Amino acid sequence: MVDPISPNVTLRRALAQYIHDQGMGVYKPTAPYVSGERGIYTTGNMPTVAGSDNALVLRSLASVSTGRADMLYRVQIESRIKGSGIDAENLAAGLNLILDQQQNTPPGLHIAWCSLYSYLPLSADSSGRNGGFQTFSFMGRRGL
C-alpha cells in the first residue's frame, strides 16, 4: 500500500517548480545539482555538500484551518547565497516579486492568495554565505 502525499509536500513541490519556472533557481526532484546551480530543495534540510553555496530550501510550517474547507498553508523559504548581504537581500526581493500578493500561485492548486508573512535576514557564515528566512502564507482549499 502506498501512503498518500501530504498537502504540504504537494504545495512545496509545486512551489519549487513555480520558482524554477520563474528563473529563480533550479528544481530537480531526483537528480543531483551541479556546482553553480541555485538548487531548490523541498525536503526541509539545507544541503551540506560541496558546491551548494547558493540554495533555496522550502519547509512547511503548521497549517491553520480557517473554515470547514479552507486552510492557511505556510511555507518558509530559507535562502543562502555566496556573496554580500545585498546579494541576499536582492534574492529575497526576487522571491517577493514572484510570490507576495499573488493569486493562483503556484498554479493549479486552488490557492486564492499568497502573501509574505515575515522575513528574517541572516548575516554571513564562516564560508561567506548570506541568506534569510521568508515565510509565505497561502490561502487555499483543504487538501489541495
Side-chain angles (χ1 to χ4, degrees):
M1 178 176 195
V2 177
D3 291 329
I5 297 175
S6 159
N8 288 319
V9 172
T10 299
L11 176 58
R12 289 195 314 269
R13 289 176 179 168
L15 184 57
Q17 185 62 54
Y18 178 75
I19 293 168
H20 171 96
D21 293 344
Q22 299 300 308
M24 294 291 303
V26 176
Y27 177 52
K28 297 179 184 176
T30 57
Y33 295 99
V34 299
S35 183
E37 289 181 324
R38 177 180 296 141
I40 304 171
Y41 299 83
T42 61
T43 58
N45 300 315
M46 184 57 80
T48 57
V49 297
S52 62
D53 290 329
N54 196 357
L56 300 173
V57 174
L58 283 57
R59 65 180 59 87
S60 296
L61 303 178
S63 299
V64 178
S65 174
T66 59
R68 248 181 87 196
D70 299 327
M71 293 289 284
L72 178 68
Y73 296 96
R74 296 181 304 152
V75 176
Q76 184 179 73
I77 301 176
E78 180 181 0
S79 58
R80 174 168 78 188
I81 187 169
K82 188 87 165 184
S84 71
I86 291 174
D87 296 326
E89 190 175 349
N90 288 338
L91 174 56
L95 290 170
N96 285 346
L97 187 64
I98 64 171
L99 296 174
D100 188 31
Q101 305 299 308
Q102 300 296 319
Q103 293 178 307
N104 195 33
T105 302
L109 293 185
H110 309 289
I111 299 294
W113 192 254
C114 173
S115 59
L116 177 67
Y117 178 77
S118 66
Y119 173 60
L120 174 66
L122 298 174
S123 57
D125 64 11
S126 60
S127 297
R129 300 173 297 201
N130 284 274
F133 290 96
Q134 290 167 273
T135 302
F136 292 92
S137 299
F138 298 84
M139 285 296 293
R141 304 298 283 174
R142 186 181 300 271
L144 295 177

